Amino acid sequence: MEPKARRKRVAKSPDDRRDDILRAGERVFGTTGFERATISELADAAEIGKGTFYLYFASKDHLLGALWERYVDAIVSTAQEILAESAAWWPTIDRVMTALIGHALKNAELHRIVYGSANAKALELCRQANQRVIDLMCDFVEQGTHAGAFRAIDTRLAFRMSYHAADGLLDDLVAEGDEHIDEAHVTAMVLELMHRALGDPEAVPSPASV
């Protein structure tokens, strides 16, 4: 049996090396599966040694958590950009939720990995990342409530309920493996729920309006 060829060292910045490991995690988790993936396999895919892997991530759970946090970072940045435009309350809610749904469907494979095979530790890391989006939007909803735009009994709870309902629906649709999810239809349903939950049952938006 021939000895394994020594890996040639390539000098990279810590940020570039971390990105390599994240990309390797996406590939390995997507093909091997989270439960079966090993640190050795992840390190080989990133073209690093196991020791280097542990310099960046304590475990594959933390790697998956970092992948989800990167996904959430993009959501938070998008939401912040929309909120900063200071548009009317309801159109802003519609635009943010529409953007979040589109982003989720573009990252369907990551959803499958996280909710289909991740363990409790990884799911908790993902839950903590999700909370950043919820807190951001709840603060916006609270401001809108004080301005008289949202009229539910408890608008923060109403938003959280609607957000989790939308998140659960998307996870179900993605888990079913349907490659032709009707994004416009799903968006319309989520916005209808959001409007009703926040106290605007007479103004249900159509997909063309968002």
Side-chain angles (χ1 to χ4, degrees), residues 5-18:
R6 174 171 290 187
R7 182 181 295 110
K8 183 178 181 181
R9 294 181 60 86
V10 178
K12 290 189 176 183
S13 71
D15 287 343
D16 287 343
R17 185 68 72 193
R18 188 173 190 275

Side-chain angles (χ1 to χ4, degrees), residues 23-45:
R23 284 192 292 269
E26 286 182 309
R27 293 195 304 273
V28 173
F29 292 152
T31 55
T32 302
F34 179 80
E35 289 298 333
R36 294 193 305 274
T38 65
I39 300 301
S40 294
E41 186 176 5
L42 291 164
D44 285 345

Side-chain angles (χ1 to χ4, degrees), residues 9-205:
R9 294 181 60 86
V10 178
K12 290 189 176 183
S13 71
D15 287 343
D16 287 343
R17 185 68 72 193
R18 188 173 190 275
D19 285 342
D20 286 346
I21 301 172
L22 288 169
R23 284 192 292 269
E26 286 182 309
R27 293 195 304 273
V28 173
F29 292 152
T31 55
T32 302
F34 179 80
E35 289 298 333
R36 294 193 305 274
T38 65
I39 300 301
S40 294
E41 186 176 5
L42 291 164
D44 285 345
E47 299 184 346
I48 58 173
K50 287 177 63 175
T52 301
F53 177 94
Y54 285 117
L55 291 175
Y56 290 86
F57 300 101
S59 66
K60 66 178 182 180
D61 301 288
H62 284 91
L63 173 56
L64 183 58
L67 283 169
W68 192 258
E69 186 170 14
R70 185 176 65 174
Y71 164 82
V72 172
D73 283 344
I75 293 176
V76 171
S77 296
T78 298
Q80 288 174 331
E81 290 173 5
I82 295 172
L83 296 178
E85 294 177 6
S86 301
W89 298 104
W90 285 110
T92 298
I93 284 282
D94 294 343
R95 286 188 60 201
V96 169
M97 294 308 298
T98 299
L100 299 193
I101 292 167
H103 187 62
L105 293 179
K106 288 178 182 175
N107 291 272
E109 182 58 31
L110 183 57
H111 274 252
R112 292 190 186 97
I113 294 168
V114 169
Y115 292 105
S117 59
N119 61 25
K121 184 184 294 184
L123 288 173
E124 174 58 21
L125 291 169
C126 295
R127 187 199 66 78
Q128 292 172 10
N130 283 345
Q131 194 61 44
R132 294 168 52 208
V133 184
I134 295 171
D135 289 343
L136 175 67
M137 291 306 300
C138 278
D139 289 343
F140 172 79
V141 166
E142 186 170 350
Q143 294 170 25
T145 302
H146 293 319
F150 310 127
R151 300 182 179 87
I153 296 172
D154 186 326
T155 50
R156 290 183 73 97
L157 281 179
F159 177 83
R160 287 169 58 191
M161 176 185 69
S162 303
Y163 181 94
H164 286 300
D167 190 50
L169 172 63
L170 290 168
D171 290 333
D172 282 349
L173 293 173
V174 168
E176 291 170 0
D178 188 350
E179 300 297 329
H180 303 288
I181 297 172
D182 188 337
E183 183 175 334
H185 181 66
V186 171
T187 300
M189 295 295 293
V190 169
L191 296 186
E192 179 179 358
L193 174 63
M194 186 69 69
H195 276 239
R196 293 190 186 281
L198 290 175
D200 186 24
E202 303 303 321
V204 179

